[in-house]
Amino acid sequence: MEEKSSNPLLCDIETGMCEIDDASVKLENASIAAADKLVKIIYFTDPICSSCWGIEPQLRKLKLEYGEYIQVEYRMGGLLPDWNYNSGGISKPSDVAPHWDEVSEHYDMPIDGDVWLEDPLHSSYPPSIAFKAAQLQDQSKALDLLRELREMVFLKKINIAKWENLAVAAKTVGLDMEAFERDFNGNAEALFKEDLNFAASLGVRGFPTMFFADQEGNQEKVYGTKPYSVYESALLKQLPDAVKMDIDPKWENLFGKYKTLTSKEFSELSQTPRNETDAILQKLVDEGKLTKLVSKNGVLWMR
């Protein structure tokens, strides 16, 4: 039987996982436990992981419904070190383009694979290091940066491995640019390597991977892109008494919390039937209340 070879950019639609080379995994039984919040979620991700983009609706919903109980700790996983491999049917950037288009349809999240034809990335390490640099300044702005980078690469076909594009994203989310550049070229790389080592110590094989841990260190792992109920169940196993908060479904409230939403995200958060979502949001655009960015495989709605 032919040995199955994994490729980090060939995300398995069935498992919802972008896998890395198992040979890099060092099982050291690292322990994790919640501190400030009742449940810590350690989320291993990557700025160019299409499956991670696919769970944005579920993750945003989890934060709105159970935010008072959880602390989400973002860790970078290092999906694409470089192009020095040939496996899984992908040996060069242009091979990724049709796969991303397929993944976009499956997750109902806008992804334009043409970035791999027009301005392909050589690695996901630079945007990962940029995220660590942003974390040194402000955790909230670091998350804004990660979202901005994902929108740039998935919808706008912008190469987020280039410094000039990382700088634009950092400025957009309001980071101190002098400090950002200093940290990007300084301490952030070591922090990124710490994330890689931490992932290896926990046996992380791909992204998204989430560990739900209570204050005693009991863990529940969710591996791959899953329906919302799976993430909610993992949380409730650690904290059965958690009470779900109601989400105000009005568009003003949702766009007040998140400045941009995809159609799938709006549908998930507002509980609007997916086949009605685009018409509702387009009406708001027509009334001048929202704007939109149309990509090849979907729309990003903005207030």
Side-chain angles (χ1 to χ4, degrees), residues 129 163 180-189:
I129 293 169
W163 165 253
F180 177 70
E181 183 170 5
R182 181 189 65 241
D183 292 333
F184 179 82
N185 293 310
N187 296 333
E189 184 173 359

Side-chain angles (χ1 to χ4, degrees), residues 14-267:
E14 296 303 318
T15 64
M17 177 62 61
C18 299
E19 290 191 318
I20 55 177
D21 185 0
D22 287 355
S24 66
V25 173
K26 308 172 219 171
L27 295 175
E28 299 171 2
N29 297 318
S31 62
I32 54 178
D36 298 335
K37 295 278 187 167
L38 297 174
V39 175
K40 175 185 281 188
I41 302 173
I42 299 184
Y43 174 28
F44 290 94
T45 185
D46 188 277
I48 71 168
C49 171
S50 56
S51 292
C52 297
W53 179 238
I55 69 163
E56 282 287 281
Q58 296 95 304
L59 185 54
R60 284 183 156 187
K61 185 175 182 180
L62 194 71
K63 289 178 178 179
L64 290 181
E65 290 191 335
Y66 294 100
E68 64 180 297
Y69 303 104
I70 63 175
Q71 172 195 0
V72 184
E73 181 178 297
Y74 286 70
R75 297 286 190 140
M76 297 292 103
L79 182 64
L80 180 66
D82 52 48
W83 281 96
N84 292 324
Y85 62 83
N86 183 350
S87 64
I90 290 180
S91 60
K92 56 187 181 299
S94 60
D95 294 334
V96 185
H99 174 65
W100 267 24
D101 290 339
E102 179 186 14
V103 170
S104 177
E105 181 178 1
H106 180 77
Y107 292 134
D108 189 19
M109 287 286 281
I111 305 174
D112 190 338
D114 288 351
V115 65
W116 296 103
L117 304 175
E118 299 172 9
D119 194 4
L121 290 73
H122 70 278
S123 171
S124 69
Y125 279 28
S128 299
I129 293 169
F131 175 77
K132 303 308 294 185
Q135 281 188 312
L136 288 170
Q137 280 192 50
D138 186 295
Q139 291 287 339
S140 178
K141 288 182 180 179
L143 296 182
D144 291 342
L145 178 70
L146 183 58
R147 176 73 183 202
E148 181 71 19
L149 291 173
R150 284 177 165 152
E151 291 177 4
M152 288 169 73
V153 71
F154 290 127
L155 287 96
K156 302 176 184 177
K157 301 183 293 182
I158 294 174
N159 184 335
I160 58 170
K162 293 180 177 179
W163 165 253
E164 58 265 32
N165 295 329
L166 294 173
V168 169
K171 187 174 182 179
T172 297
V173 302
L175 288 168
D176 179 304
M177 295 305 297
E178 182 177 347
F180 177 70
E181 183 170 5
R182 181 189 65 241
D183 292 333
F184 179 82
N185 293 310
N187 296 333
E189 184 173 359
L191 294 174
F192 172 52
K193 289 180 179 178
E194 286 181 12
D195 282 3
L196 298 183
N197 291 334
F198 189 37
S201 74
L202 291 170
V204 174
R205 296 190 294 111
F207 318 107
T209 295
M210 291 187 187
F211 292 88
F212 292 72
D214 65 15
Q215 292 178 318
E216 283 71 50
N218 300 306
Q219 300 174 23
E220 181 78 15
K221 181 173 75 170
V222 179
Y223 180 70
T225 303
K226 298 293 187 289
Y228 177 74
S229 60
V230 175
Y231 301 101
E232 183 179 39
S233 176
L235 169 61
L236 294 176
K237 282 183 181 179
Q238 305 308 316
L239 192 64
D241 295 333
V243 178
K244 180 189 301 188
M245 293 286 292
D246 291 331
I247 299 176
D248 184 341
K250 294 192 293 293
W251 73 268
E252 299 96 323
N253 174 67
L254 296 178
F255 281 95
K257 294 182 180 299
Y258 298 116
K259 69 176 185 177
T260 63
L261 291 166
T262 66
S263 299
K264 176 71 175 293
E265 288 174 325
F266 183 82
S267 175

